[in-house]
Amino acid sequence: MKIGVVGFGAASIGFISEILDEDHEIHVLERSKDIFSSSISGIRSDGKIFVSETMGGDMEIPLAIQNEVVDFYLEKLNPDDRREVKRGVSFDRRSRFFDLFYSKGFEPVNSTFWHIGTDKLSSVLTKIFEEFSTRNNLKFHFGSRVDDIDIEDEKIILRGEGFEAVFDYVVVAVGRSGHSLIKKVTDRYPEIVASSNTVDIGVRFEIPDHVVEEINEEMYEFKVRLKTKTGYTVRTFCNNPSGKVVLENYDDFVTVNGHSNSGGSSENTNFAILCTTRFTEPFRDPIGYGSYISRLSNILAGGRKVILQTYEDFIQTKRTKRLGRVKPTLPEGDYILGDINLVLPRRISVSITEFVEKLSEVIPGISYPDNLMYAVEVKFYSNKINNSRYKNLKFIGDCSGHTRSITYATGHGRLTGYSLK
Ligand SMILES: Cc1cc2nc3c(=O)[nH]c(=O)nc-3n(C[C@H](O)[C@H](O)[C@H](O)COP(=O)(O)OP(=O)(O)OC[C@H]3O[C@@H](n4cnc5c(N)ncnc54)[C@H](O)[C@@H]3O)c2cc1C
């Protein structure tokens, strides 16, 4: 079969690794100019690989496959770097933090993780790329952004600037950054949308390392959820000890994210505080909702920048004019001091405030007045795609709406590849 793979990220790596030995002609169409240029992805930034039954996606990826995915990535490191990879367990039942959080109403989320670090990821990616490139049945097409997909008879047609290509089978693996392509396709073929109702919106929180030293040391990544009084569930996500806050670039707006190198690169810890927003009929555009809020923060910040505010000013709903003891790790040109309350809907900011106050009952320094908040951080779940509608067009990884982590996206790719055997 002639197979088209749109996007070269975690999901396509899983898919390709499963079908490479089969008798197929595989074409990878990636919009970036090379393997490193795509900024928005955990396999290019941070690289924490989790094994968890409750986190990383809403589909079932058997634990055996998740562990194979971890081994697959770790094996790409050279032996010295592999030995240095930090491994940790978030909320082992025996951890004293488990009871502390539980008693305050939090749900501690259990997972095992390995942290490769941004600095080591490029060698992992290079190794994978080199291994794939030696195969005669696989061809990479960089700088090939797919803008449109047509389903015609038994064929799938991919179109982009200056090209049109016809395939027997296509997997779309464009991650969250490919949301405009997914929107176009789901508008045209609404029958492939299984549901479309969720987006996670919130802030990136930044505090000095010493405030969370104990919990960072024990588990590196702490993941908790809280059902707040508004009815919204709020959670921590992507904790980066000694890490940096970064911009996440989309075509038409920027949001905020965080990462850390294997050895740490600052004296601050950052993590996301995200509020899960679910909509009911007739609203069917959570991506539009998240995009508008992101764009609003950019408009107020005067361009492709985010808004930075101290926690105290956020609570008092007034613009931050000067910072306190915590020095931002996001470069100065990427933010404007402002008021996040002008951006986030009230229900979300009230939920986040309750979450931070509750968190400070377990870790008191969390609510220090000069701690930093950057807005907005958004996790687009994408429409959930019904992959059984067309037998030769599959959506895998984050763009399918069913995964949101390296392990789950790669596992999804592997399961999809396996079904072709
Ligand atoms: C900054 C950041 C840090 C993260 N850190 C972690 C982490 O530490 N651990 C973790 O488990 N998860 C992390 N994640 C989430 C994780 O990266 C994703 O869940 C995972 O990479 C999804 O894999 P994917 O293949 O679906 O998409 P991606 O890995 O995002 O790959 C999609 C690819 O498609 C390409 N593309 C997009 N649109 C098009 C188009 N129209 N045509 C052609 N190509 C296109 C993109 O350039 C990209 O290369 C992080 C995410 C971000 C943004």
Side-chain angles (χ1 to χ4, degrees), residues 6-12 29-32 38 40-48 50 144-146 173-178 181 248 257 396-399 404-406 409:
V6 188
F8 187 61
S12 32
L29 293 93
E30 164 60 50
R31 68 175 184 182
S32 311
S38 170
I40 309 178
S41 176
I43 55 160
R44 294 173 176 92
S45 167
D46 205 25
K48 256 184 242 104
F50 299 95
S144 303
R145 194 181 73 195
V146 173
V174 291
R176 291 183 231 146
S177 62
L181 174 66
E248 186 169 331
N257 210 308
I396 60 171
D398 286 18
C399 72
R404 48 183 179 276
S405 70
I406 296 170

mmCIF file of all heavy atoms in Angstrom, residues 6-12 29-32 38 40-48 50 144-146 173-178 181 248 257 396-399 404-406 409, ligand 1:
data_model
loop_
_atom_site.group_PDB
_atom_site.id
_atom_site.type_symbol
_atom_site.label_atom_id
_atom_site.label_comp_id
_atom_site.label_asym_id
_atom_site.label_seq_id
_atom_site.Cartn_x
_atom_site.Cartn_y
_atom_site.Cartn_z
ATOM 1 N N VAL A 6 0.803 12.135 7.944
ATOM 2 C CA VAL A 6 0.837 13.601 8.026
ATOM 3 C C VAL A 6 1.325 14.013 9.412
ATOM 4 O O VAL A 6 0.655 13.767 10.412
ATOM 5 C CB VAL A 6 -0.559 14.205 7.752
ATOM 6 C CG1 VAL A 6 -0.444 15.732 7.654
ATOM 7 C CG2 VAL A 6 -1.162 13.626 6.490
ATOM 8 N N GLY A 7 2.514 14.617 9.453
ATOM 9 C CA GLY A 7 3.112 15.051 10.722
ATOM 10 C C GLY A 7 4.118 14.027 11.214
ATOM 11 O O GLY A 7 3.918 12.813 11.060
ATOM 12 N N PHE A 8 5.228 14.532 11.760
ATOM 13 C CA PHE A 8 6.235 13.615 12.312
ATOM 14 C C PHE A 8 6.440 13.949 13.791
ATOM 15 O O PHE A 8 7.285 14.728 14.174
ATOM 16 C CB PHE A 8 7.551 13.715 11.541
ATOM 17 C CG PHE A 8 8.555 12.678 11.966
ATOM 18 C CD1 PHE A 8 8.266 11.332 11.833
ATOM 19 C CD2 PHE A 8 9.766 13.046 12.530
ATOM 20 C CE1 PHE A 8 9.185 10.359 12.234
ATOM 21 C CE2 PHE A 8 10.694 12.089 12.932
ATOM 22 C CZ PHE A 8 10.396 10.742 12.785
ATOM 23 N N GLY A 9 5.584 13.357 14.617
ATOM 24 C CA GLY A 9 5.686 13.535 16.056
ATOM 25 C C GLY A 9 5.585 12.182 16.742
ATOM 26 O O GLY A 9 5.843 11.143 16.109
ATOM 27 N N ALA A 10 5.183 12.189 18.002
ATOM 28 C CA ALA A 10 5.162 10.955 18.781
ATOM 29 C C ALA A 10 4.280 9.876 18.151
ATOM 30 O O ALA A 10 4.672 8.710 18.044
ATOM 31 C CB ALA A 10 4.684 11.273 20.200
ATOM 32 N N ALA A 11 3.081 10.282 17.712
ATOM 33 C CA ALA A 11 2.132 9.279 17.193
ATOM 34 C C ALA A 11 2.654 8.644 15.912
ATOM 35 O O ALA A 11 2.570 7.422 15.729
ATOM 36 C CB ALA A 11 0.775 9.933 16.946
ATOM 37 N N SER A 12 3.213 9.468 15.009
ATOM 38 C CA SER A 12 3.696 8.873 13.758
ATOM 39 C C SER A 12 4.943 8.022 14.006
ATOM 40 O O SER A 12 5.150 7.028 13.316
ATOM 41 C CB SER A 12 3.927 9.920 12.675
ATOM 42 O OG SER A 12 4.313 11.125 13.191
ATOM 43 N N LEU A 29 4.750 13.442 5.506
ATOM 44 C CA LEU A 29 4.654 14.855 5.119
ATOM 45 C C LEU A 29 4.662 15.697 6.386
ATOM 46 O O LEU A 29 3.719 15.646 7.178
ATOM 47 C CB LEU A 29 3.375 15.107 4.315
ATOM 48 C CG LEU A 29 3.351 14.436 2.946
ATOM 49 C CD1 LEU A 29 2.681 13.072 3.034
ATOM 50 C CD2 LEU A 29 2.639 15.297 1.940
ATOM 51 N N GLU A 30 5.749 16.415 6.612
ATOM 52 C CA GLU A 30 5.914 17.211 7.828
ATOM 53 C C GLU A 30 6.077 18.671 7.426
ATOM 54 O O GLU A 30 6.870 18.994 6.555
ATOM 55 C CB GLU A 30 7.126 16.703 8.627
ATOM 56 C CG GLU A 30 7.664 17.626 9.702
ATOM 57 C CD GLU A 30 6.668 17.997 10.804
ATOM 58 O OE1 GLU A 30 6.040 17.088 11.378
ATOM 59 O OE2 GLU A 30 6.528 19.210 11.068
ATOM 60 N N ARG A 31 5.306 19.528 8.109
ATOM 61 C CA ARG A 31 5.329 20.943 7.695
ATOM 62 C C ARG A 31 6.637 21.661 8.052
ATOM 63 O O ARG A 31 7.016 22.623 7.408
ATOM 64 C CB ARG A 31 4.152 21.692 8.301
ATOM 65 C CG ARG A 31 4.258 21.844 9.786
ATOM 66 C CD ARG A 31 3.143 22.704 10.328
ATOM 67 N NE ARG A 31 3.352 22.886 11.751
ATOM 68 C CZ ARG A 31 2.547 23.545 12.541
ATOM 69 N NH1 ARG A 31 1.457 24.081 12.051
ATOM 70 N NH2 ARG A 31 2.800 23.674 13.811
ATOM 71 N N SER A 32 7.337 21.186 9.104
ATOM 72 C CA SER A 32 8.578 21.867 9.499
ATOM 73 C C SER A 32 9.684 21.586 8.487
ATOM 74 O O SER A 32 9.611 20.615 7.737
ATOM 75 C CB SER A 32 9.049 21.366 10.858
ATOM 76 O OG SER A 32 7.988 21.388 11.757
ATOM 77 N N SER A 38 10.009 21.973 14.521
ATOM 78 C CA SER A 38 8.660 22.078 15.055
ATOM 79 C C SER A 38 8.761 22.301 16.558
ATOM 80 O O SER A 38 9.262 21.464 17.291
ATOM 81 C CB SER A 38 7.901 20.787 14.759
ATOM 82 O OG SER A 38 6.700 20.788 15.464
ATOM 83 N N ILE A 40 6.332 22.879 18.859
ATOM 84 C CA ILE A 40 5.267 22.487 19.781
ATOM 85 C C ILE A 40 5.160 20.977 19.912
ATOM 86 O O ILE A 40 4.415 20.343 19.204
ATOM 87 C CB ILE A 40 3.916 23.049 19.316
ATOM 88 C CG1 ILE A 40 4.048 24.543 19.050
ATOM 89 C CG2 ILE A 40 2.847 22.796 20.342
ATOM 90 C CD1 ILE A 40 2.801 25.181 18.547
ATOM 91 N N SER A 41 5.934 20.408 20.800
ATOM 92 C CA SER A 41 5.786 18.987 21.035
ATOM 93 C C SER A 41 6.680 18.529 22.178
ATOM 94 O O SER A 41 7.786 19.029 22.347
ATOM 95 C CB SER A 41 6.175 18.218 19.765
ATOM 96 O OG SER A 41 6.110 16.852 20.023
ATOM 97 N N GLY A 42 6.163 17.590 22.949
ATOM 98 C CA GLY A 42 6.925 17.087 24.086
ATOM 99 C C GLY A 42 8.103 16.218 23.683
ATOM 100 O O GLY A 42 8.960 15.922 24.507
ATOM 101 N N ILE A 43 8.150 15.781 22.416
ATOM 102 C CA ILE A 43 9.338 15.022 22.024
ATOM 103 C C ILE A 43 10.434 15.960 21.520
ATOM 104 O O ILE A 43 11.503 15.527 21.123
ATOM 105 C CB ILE A 43 9.069 13.914 20.975
ATOM 106 C CG1 ILE A 43 8.403 14.485 19.743
ATOM 107 C CG2 ILE A 43 8.275 12.779 21.555
ATOM 108 C CD1 ILE A 43 8.574 13.561 18.553
ATOM 109 N N ARG A 44 10.148 17.243 21.529
ATOM 110 C CA ARG A 44 11.184 18.225 21.215
ATOM 111 C C ARG A 44 11.453 19.126 22.411
ATOM 112 O O ARG A 44 12.386 19.892 22.426
ATOM 113 C CB ARG A 44 10.756 19.065 20.012
ATOM 114 C CG ARG A 44 10.686 18.217 18.744
ATOM 115 C CD ARG A 44 10.088 19.004 17.594
ATOM 116 N NE ARG A 44 10.128 18.214 16.378
ATOM 117 C CZ ARG A 44 9.143 17.429 15.978
ATOM 118 N NH1 ARG A 44 8.040 17.320 16.683
ATOM 119 N NH2 ARG A 44 9.250 16.730 14.862
ATOM 120 N N SER A 45 10.597 19.042 23.407
ATOM 121 C CA SER A 45 10.707 19.924 24.557
ATOM 122 C C SER A 45 10.314 19.143 25.813
ATOM 123 O O SER A 45 9.232 18.552 25.860
ATOM 124 C CB SER A 45 9.777 21.118 24.330
ATOM 125 O OG SER A 45 9.611 21.846 25.498
ATOM 126 N N ASP A 46 11.200 19.086 26.761
ATOM 127 C CA ASP A 46 10.967 18.477 28.069
ATOM 128 C C ASP A 46 11.129 16.947 28.085
ATOM 129 O O ASP A 46 12.000 16.431 28.738
ATOM 130 C CB ASP A 46 9.603 18.882 28.638
ATOM 131 C CG ASP A 46 9.593 18.781 30.154
ATOM 132 O OD1 ASP A 46 10.695 18.885 30.738
ATOM 133 O OD2 ASP A 46 8.538 18.585 30.755
ATOM 134 N N GLY A 47 10.242 16.241 27.398
ATOM 135 C CA GLY A 47 10.399 14.798 27.288
ATOM 136 C C GLY A 47 10.251 14.011 28.580
ATOM 137 O O GLY A 47 11.119 13.238 28.954
ATOM 138 N N LYS A 48 9.114 14.224 29.249
ATOM 139 C CA LYS A 48 8.799 13.370 30.401
ATOM 140 C C LYS A 48 7.912 12.251 29.877
ATOM 141 O O LYS A 48 6.875 12.502 29.277
ATOM 142 C CB LYS A 48 8.025 14.172 31.451
ATOM 143 C CG LYS A 48 8.867 14.572 32.632
ATOM 144 C CD LYS A 48 8.032 15.260 33.671
ATOM 145 C CE LYS A 48 8.493 16.672 33.889
ATOM 146 N NZ LYS A 48 7.624 17.673 33.283
ATOM 147 N N PHE A 50 5.547 9.146 30.616
ATOM 148 C CA PHE A 50 4.760 8.579 31.717
ATOM 149 C C PHE A 50 4.200 7.218 31.383
ATOM 150 O O PHE A 50 3.782 6.976 30.258
ATOM 151 C CB PHE A 50 3.543 9.449 32.009
ATOM 152 C CG PHE A 50 3.878 10.835 32.415
ATOM 153 C CD1 PHE A 50 3.914 11.848 31.480
ATOM 154 C CD2 PHE A 50 4.163 11.125 33.726
ATOM 155 C CE1 PHE A 50 4.233 13.132 31.848
ATOM 156 C CE2 PHE A 50 4.476 12.403 34.106
ATOM 157 C CZ PHE A 50 4.512 13.412 33.171
ATOM 158 N N SER A 144 6.386 20.297 4.049
ATOM 159 C CA SER A 144 5.157 19.942 3.326
ATOM 160 C C SER A 144 3.960 20.023 4.267
ATOM 161 O O SER A 144 3.582 19.025 4.903
ATOM 162 C CB SER A 144 5.251 18.520 2.767
ATOM 163 O OG SER A 144 6.374 18.397 1.937
ATOM 164 N N ARG A 145 3.406 21.203 4.397
ATOM 165 C CA ARG A 145 2.229 21.349 5.263
ATOM 166 C C ARG A 145 0.982 20.915 4.512
ATOM 167 O O ARG A 145 0.690 21.435 3.430
ATOM 168 C CB ARG A 145 2.075 22.799 5.719
ATOM 169 C CG ARG A 145 1.096 22.913 6.874
ATOM 170 C CD ARG A 145 0.903 24.312 7.334
ATOM 171 N NE ARG A 145 0.106 25.063 6.374
ATOM 172 C CZ ARG A 145 0.016 26.381 6.363
ATOM 173 N NH1 ARG A 145 0.703 27.079 7.233
ATOM 174 N NH2 ARG A 145 -0.737 26.984 5.480
ATOM 175 N N VAL A 146 0.272 19.964 5.082
ATOM 176 C CA VAL A 146 -0.965 19.515 4.447
ATOM 177 C C VAL A 146 -2.076 20.472 4.866
ATOM 178 O O VAL A 146 -2.304 20.695 6.055
ATOM 179 C CB VAL A 146 -1.287 18.058 4.864
ATOM 180 C CG1 VAL A 146 -2.654 17.638 4.340
ATOM 181 C CG2 VAL A 146 -0.195 17.119 4.364
ATOM 182 N N ALA A 173 -1.461 12.730 11.878
ATOM 183 C CA ALA A 173 -0.842 12.749 13.207
ATOM 184 C C ALA A 173 -0.242 14.132 13.431
ATOM 185 O O ALA A 173 0.945 14.277 13.657
ATOM 186 C CB ALA A 173 0.228 11.661 13.309
ATOM 187 N N VAL A 174 -1.115 15.141 13.348
ATOM 188 C CA VAL A 174 -0.608 16.523 13.346
ATOM 189 C C VAL A 174 -0.598 17.156 14.739
ATOM 190 O O VAL A 174 -0.288 18.346 14.878
ATOM 191 C CB VAL A 174 -1.417 17.415 12.365
ATOM 192 C CG1 VAL A 174 -1.136 17.006 10.934
ATOM 193 C CG2 VAL A 174 -2.905 17.372 12.671
ATOM 194 N N GLY A 175 -0.924 16.371 15.772
ATOM 195 C CA GLY A 175 -0.861 16.891 17.138
ATOM 196 C C GLY A 175 -1.799 18.064 17.339
ATOM 197 O O GLY A 175 -2.705 18.317 16.537
ATOM 198 N N ARG A 176 -1.541 18.790 18.425
ATOM 199 C CA ARG A 176 -2.411 19.934 18.721
ATOM 200 C C ARG A 176 -2.124 21.094 17.784
ATOM 201 O O ARG A 176 -2.997 21.882 17.463
ATOM 202 C CB ARG A 176 -2.176 20.406 20.151
ATOM 203 C CG ARG A 176 -2.659 19.435 21.183
ATOM 204 C CD ARG A 176 -2.430 20.038 22.551
ATOM 205 N NE ARG A 176 -1.737 19.100 23.408
ATOM 206 C CZ ARG A 176 -0.868 19.446 24.328
ATOM 207 N NH1 ARG A 176 -0.558 20.710 24.513
ATOM 208 N NH2 ARG A 176 -0.291 18.538 25.079
ATOM 209 N N SER A 177 -0.876 21.196 17.327
ATOM 210 C CA SER A 177 -0.527 22.351 16.492
ATOM 211 C C SER A 177 -1.193 22.265 15.124
ATOM 212 O O SER A 177 -1.267 23.251 14.406
ATOM 213 C CB SER A 177 0.989 22.446 16.328
ATOM 214 O OG SER A 177 1.473 21.297 15.666
ATOM 215 N N GLY A 178 -1.701 21.112 14.772
ATOM 216 C CA GLY A 178 -2.350 20.975 13.462
ATOM 217 C C GLY A 178 -3.849 21.200 13.530
ATOM 218 O O GLY A 178 -4.594 20.710 12.675
ATOM 219 N N LEU A 181 -5.953 22.220 10.408
ATOM 220 C CA LEU A 181 -6.237 21.159 9.424
ATOM 221 C C LEU A 181 -7.400 20.279 9.930
ATOM 222 O O LEU A 181 -8.319 19.947 9.174
ATOM 223 C CB LEU A 181 -4.982 20.294 9.203
ATOM 224 C CG LEU A 181 -5.200 19.064 8.309
ATOM 225 C CD1 LEU A 181 -5.543 19.475 6.876
ATOM 226 C CD2 LEU A 181 -3.964 18.161 8.293
ATOM 227 N N GLU A 248 4.306 28.845 23.540
ATOM 228 C CA GLU A 248 3.883 27.781 22.628
ATOM 229 C C GLU A 248 3.292 28.489 21.418
ATOM 230 O O GLU A 248 2.308 29.221 21.541
ATOM 231 C CB GLU A 248 2.855 26.887 23.325
ATOM 232 C CG GLU A 248 2.471 25.678 22.515
ATOM 233 C CD GLU A 248 1.662 24.652 23.332
ATOM 234 O OE1 GLU A 248 1.837 24.566 24.565
ATOM 235 O OE2 GLU A 248 0.850 23.949 22.713
ATOM 236 N N ASN A 257 3.778 27.611 28.049
ATOM 237 C CA ASN A 257 4.047 26.224 28.410
ATOM 238 C C ASN A 257 5.308 26.217 29.271
ATOM 239 O O ASN A 257 5.845 27.279 29.591
ATOM 240 C CB ASN A 257 4.232 25.384 27.138
ATOM 241 C CG ASN A 257 3.790 23.948 27.332
ATOM 242 O OD1 ASN A 257 4.212 23.284 28.268
ATOM 243 N ND2 ASN A 257 2.934 23.472 26.457
ATOM 244 N N ILE A 396 -4.502 9.856 14.507
ATOM 245 C CA ILE A 396 -3.837 9.261 15.670
ATOM 246 C C ILE A 396 -3.150 10.341 16.511
ATOM 247 O O ILE A 396 -2.841 11.425 16.024
ATOM 248 C CB ILE A 396 -2.815 8.162 15.252
ATOM 249 C CG1 ILE A 396 -1.726 8.739 14.333
ATOM 250 C CG2 ILE A 396 -3.524 6.999 14.582
ATOM 251 C CD1 ILE A 396 -0.574 7.767 14.058
ATOM 252 N N GLY A 397 -2.925 9.990 17.776
ATOM 253 C CA GLY A 397 -2.253 10.938 18.668
ATOM 254 C C GLY A 397 -3.185 12.058 19.106
ATOM 255 O O GLY A 397 -4.415 11.928 19.052
ATOM 256 N N ASP A 398 -2.581 13.180 19.489
ATOM 257 C CA ASP A 398 -3.364 14.256 20.100
ATOM 258 C C ASP A 398 -4.435 14.832 19.185
ATOM 259 O O ASP A 398 -5.481 15.283 19.652
ATOM 260 C CB ASP A 398 -2.432 15.393 20.553
ATOM 261 C CG ASP A 398 -1.642 15.025 21.804
ATOM 262 O OD1 ASP A 398 -1.548 13.814 22.119
ATOM 263 O OD2 ASP A 398 -1.122 15.934 22.465
ATOM 264 N N CYS A 399 -4.200 14.819 17.868
ATOM 265 C CA CYS A 399 -5.203 15.413 16.978
ATOM 266 C C CYS A 399 -6.465 14.559 16.910
ATOM 267 O O CYS A 399 -7.499 15.016 16.442
ATOM 268 C CB CYS A 399 -4.633 15.657 15.575
ATOM 269 S SG CYS A 399 -4.382 14.170 14.606
ATOM 270 N N ARG A 404 -3.015 12.672 25.027
ATOM 271 C CA ARG A 404 -2.391 13.962 25.359
ATOM 272 C C ARG A 404 -1.037 13.746 26.042
ATOM 273 O O ARG A 404 -0.666 14.455 26.968
ATOM 274 C CB ARG A 404 -3.321 14.839 26.199
ATOM 275 C CG ARG A 404 -3.969 14.138 27.369
ATOM 276 C CD ARG A 404 -4.933 15.075 28.090
ATOM 277 N NE ARG A 404 -5.565 14.385 29.185
ATOM 278 C CZ ARG A 404 -6.634 13.625 29.078
ATOM 279 N NH1 ARG A 404 -7.218 13.481 27.910
ATOM 280 N NH2 ARG A 404 -7.135 13.009 30.131
ATOM 281 N N SER A 405 -0.323 12.738 25.623
ATOM 282 C CA SER A 405 1.022 12.513 26.175
ATOM 283 C C SER A 405 1.845 11.740 25.157
ATOM 284 O O SER A 405 1.306 11.137 24.229
ATOM 285 C CB SER A 405 0.947 11.705 27.473
ATOM 286 O OG SER A 405 0.552 10.375 27.178
ATOM 287 N N ILE A 406 3.153 11.777 25.368
ATOM 288 C CA ILE A 406 4.058 11.082 24.454
ATOM 289 C C ILE A 406 3.735 9.585 24.435
ATOM 290 O O ILE A 406 3.616 8.965 23.377
ATOM 291 C CB ILE A 406 5.526 11.294 24.897
ATOM 292 C CG1 ILE A 406 5.892 12.777 24.805
ATOM 293 C CG2 ILE A 406 6.482 10.450 24.062
ATOM 294 C CD1 ILE A 406 7.231 13.138 25.433
ATOM 295 N N ALA A 409 0.276 8.897 22.793
ATOM 296 C CA ALA A 409 0.281 9.188 21.352
ATOM 297 C C ALA A 409 1.093 8.122 20.610
ATOM 298 O O ALA A 409 0.662 7.585 19.584
ATOM 299 C CB ALA A 409 0.848 10.579 21.096
HETATM 300 C C1 LIG B 1 5.926 22.317 25.194
HETATM 301 C C2 LIG B 1 5.306 20.961 25.385
HETATM 302 C C3 LIG B 1 5.856 20.091 26.284
HETATM 303 C C4 LIG B 1 5.297 18.833 26.461
HETATM 304 N N1 LIG B 1 5.889 17.984 27.326
HETATM 305 C C5 LIG B 1 5.413 16.734 27.446
HETATM 306 C C6 LIG B 1 6.071 15.814 28.270
HETATM 307 O O1 LIG B 1 7.080 16.134 28.907
HETATM 308 N N2 LIG B 1 5.562 14.551 28.377
HETATM 309 C C7 LIG B 1 4.444 14.154 27.685
HETATM 310 O O2 LIG B 1 4.043 12.984 27.810
HETATM 311 N N3 LIG B 1 3.801 15.013 26.870
HETATM 312 C C8 LIG B 1 4.260 16.279 26.736
HETATM 313 N N4 LIG B 1 3.628 17.142 25.910
HETATM 314 C C9 LIG B 1 2.496 16.615 25.114
HETATM 315 C C10 LIG B 1 3.056 15.727 23.982
HETATM 316 O O3 LIG B 1 4.050 16.449 23.300
HETATM 317 C C11 LIG B 1 1.972 15.335 23.012
HETATM 318 O O4 LIG B 1 0.942 14.685 23.718
HETATM 319 C C12 LIG B 1 2.525 14.401 21.927
HETATM 320 O O5 LIG B 1 3.706 14.920 21.342
HETATM 321 C C13 LIG B 1 1.470 14.199 20.876
HETATM 322 O O6 LIG B 1 2.033 13.519 19.803
HETATM 323 P P1 LIG B 1 1.439 13.749 18.333
HETATM 324 O O7 LIG B 1 2.222 12.901 17.415
HETATM 325 O O8 LIG B 1 -0.034 13.601 18.364
HETATM 326 O O9 LIG B 1 1.728 15.295 18.003
HETATM 327 P P2 LIG B 1 3.117 16.046 17.902
HETATM 328 O O10 LIG B 1 4.165 15.313 18.630
HETATM 329 O O11 LIG B 1 2.802 17.452 18.290
HETATM 330 O O12 LIG B 1 3.493 15.993 16.365
HETATM 331 C C14 LIG B 1 2.699 16.606 15.394
HETATM 332 C C15 LIG B 1 3.568 16.920 14.187
HETATM 333 O O13 LIG B 1 2.712 17.300 13.106
HETATM 334 C C16 LIG B 1 3.274 18.421 12.424
HETATM 335 N N5 LIG B 1 2.165 19.128 11.761
HETATM 336 C C17 LIG B 1 1.206 19.902 12.327
HETATM 337 N N6 LIG B 1 0.334 20.322 11.402
HETATM 338 C C18 LIG B 1 0.752 19.804 10.219
HETATM 339 C C19 LIG B 1 0.248 19.882 8.890
HETATM 340 N N7 LIG B 1 -0.862 20.563 8.607
HETATM 341 N N8 LIG B 1 0.917 19.238 7.911
HETATM 342 C C20 LIG B 1 2.068 18.529 8.195
HETATM 343 N N9 LIG B 1 2.595 18.432 9.427
HETATM 344 C C21 LIG B 1 1.928 19.047 10.436
HETATM 345 C C22 LIG B 1 3.934 19.214 13.534
HETATM 346 O O14 LIG B 1 4.934 20.074 13.013
HETATM 347 C C23 LIG B 1 4.516 18.103 14.414
HETATM 348 O O15 LIG B 1 5.807 17.742 14.023
HETATM 349 C C24 LIG B 1 4.135 18.431 25.733
HETATM 350 C C25 LIG B 1 3.571 19.319 24.833
HETATM 351 C C26 LIG B 1 4.136 20.564 24.662
HETATM 352 C C27 LIG B 1 3.504 21.494 23.705
#
